[in-house]
Each structure stands twice: as C-alpha cells, then as structure tokens.
C-alpha cells in the first residue's frame, strides 16, 4: 500500500509531527527521509529494503552514498539525503559539550576571556538556553577607558535573535576597581525589568577585572 493511501493519522510524516520521532519505527523514520517509493513500492517498503541491504541501522549509518545506489529505487538524490542526515548526526556527536552557566561563577568564567587584558570598557552578553547551555557570547559595545554604554534594547534583541531564554551581562573595569558606578546599578535594574517584560530570565550583571569579579546589585 502506498503511504498516501493510508489514513493521514497513520502516515509517518504526520505521525512524526503529531507524536514526535520517537513514536516511529526505524523504517518509518527512513521513509520520511526518502520521501517517496519506487514502482509500486511505498516509501516504507523502500526503507525496509535499504535497511536490509545495509544489514541493520548501524550499517546504514556507516554506508557511503554509492552503496545505497545498489538498492532499486534509490537514486543519487535519495542516497545523498540519507548519507547527509547520518553525517550531520556524527558531526553533532563529535562537537564538544557547550559550556553551562549554573552559577554566577560560571557566568564570570564564560565572560572573562572577552574582558580581561583590554584597556577599554566592554560589555559582554552571554546567552543561554533553558538548561544553562551557552548559545552565544558576544562583545556588544566597547567604549572608553572608564565607560561603556549598556543599550538595554540591543541586549534584549541580541538574546531573542540567538533564541535564548536566559542571559547575563558583564563588563570590565580597566582601572581594576570593582566598585559599581551609579550607571552600572541603574543598568542592572533596567535589564532585570526588560527581561521580565519579554519573558527572559536575567542571570546577573558582573564587573570583571584582570584578577577579580563581583556582582552588580542595585
């Protein structure tokens, strides 16, 4: 039976969207990737043939595209699509684990390399997901030797553009002082208020020198 002849709720693609990929069998997941069958064979039939040709799912994951071409109905486009999908998985597994921010000390450790040793004040934004994994860290502004701006709107925009749910900020004091200015204190309050308005979690605002750090608390 062709996949399109199945009731919509039983089709692999629709089930994946409604119930998630974990609800699908191996051949159903591969059928979604293949997209179509061949000469009377449904995409699921073709998927079963591909898995059988490779021995098992592990064999499929390690197969070069040209090996898949030996299965009738698998052309260069399908073979390339399958090989690319498994290679993306291998790349993702090979990437180092993202740094995590679960404490103020973690935030300082992530931000410090972008701040220490600089003669001008910089503002660094650290963007995290719901589990605290660092999605992005960036120097947002750079000013003079004793001042840099904290553009609240730009901070929030950068976090949202990075698909973050939490963020912290830090800036350096090239003078070595850990004493927050009145502007530092005011910026902390505005950041916390802006984060709450758009549903983000504001982690902290830090001052970082070449040897120490401290929280900026209004």
């Amino acid at each position: 039976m062709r996949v399109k002849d199945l009731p919509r709720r039983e089709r692999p693609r629709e089930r994946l969207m409604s119930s998630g990929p974990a609800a699908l069998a191996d051949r159903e997941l591969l059928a979604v990737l293949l997209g179509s069958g061949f000469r009377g064979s449904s995409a699921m039939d073709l998927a079963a043939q591909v898995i059988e040709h490779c021995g098992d799912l592990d064999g499929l994951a390690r197969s070069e595209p040209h090996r898949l071409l030996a299965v009738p109905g698998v052309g260069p486009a399908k073979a390339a699509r399958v090989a690319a999908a498994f290679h993306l998985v291998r790349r993702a597994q090979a990437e180092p684990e993202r740094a995590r921010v679960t404490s103020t000390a973690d935030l300082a450790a992530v931000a410090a390399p972008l701040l220490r040793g600089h003669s001008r004040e910089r503002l660094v934004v650290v963007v995290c997901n719901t589990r605290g994994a660092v999605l992005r860290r960036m120097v947002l502004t750079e000013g003079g030797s004793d001042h840099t701006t904290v553009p609240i709107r730009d901070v929030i925009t950068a976090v949202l553009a990075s698909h973050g749910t939490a963020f912290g900020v830090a800036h350096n004091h090239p003078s070595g002082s850990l004493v927050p200015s009145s502007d530092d204190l005011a910026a902390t309050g505005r950041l916390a208020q802006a984060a709450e308005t758009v549903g983000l979690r504001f982690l902290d605002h830090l001052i970082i020198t070449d040897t120490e750090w401290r929280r900026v608390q209004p």
Side-chain angles (χ1 to χ4, degrees), residues 188-212:
T188 302
R190 293 199 302 272
L191 283 167
Q193 184 176 23
E196 183 177 0
T197 299
V198 297
L200 297 173
R201 185 160 63 95
F202 175 52
L203 301 174
D204 227 325
H205 180 188
L206 307 180
I207 294 171
I208 296 179
T209 69
D210 285 350
T211 57
E212 301 176 281

Side-chain angles (χ1 to χ4, degrees), residues 30-70:
L30 183 56
V32 173
L33 199 56
L34 292 171
S36 62
F38 177 73
R39 290 184 184 173
S41 296
S42 70
M44 284 195 288
D45 292 334
L46 181 58
Q49 292 168 27
V50 170
I51 294 173
E52 183 180 0
H53 175 75
C54 296
D56 54 23
L57 197 60
D58 184 63
L60 173 60
R62 298 174 185 278
S63 292
E64 296 296 326
H66 68 268
R67 182 182 178 190
L68 302 180
L69 294 175

Side-chain angles (χ1 to χ4, degrees), residues 98-168:
R98 291 181 184 270
R100 292 186 179 275
V101 174
T102 59
S103 67
T104 305
D106 290 340
L107 177 61
V110 170
L114 298 180
L115 295 171
R116 287 179 171 156
H118 291 275
S119 59
R120 295 176 179 271
E121 278 201 17
R122 291 176 150 194
L123 177 71
V124 168
V125 180
V126 177
V127 183
C128 301
N129 64 16
T130 54
R131 298 183 299 279
V134 176
L135 301 178
R136 188 180 180 192
R137 60 175 186 168
M138 72 201 88
V139 177
L140 193 65
T141 64
E142 184 170 85
S145 61
D146 61 355
H147 180 74
T148 191
T149 58
V150 181
I152 307 302
R153 184 188 297 251
D154 291 350
V155 172
I156 298 300
T157 298
V159 177
L160 294 174
S162 302
H163 306 291
T165 58
F167 72 97

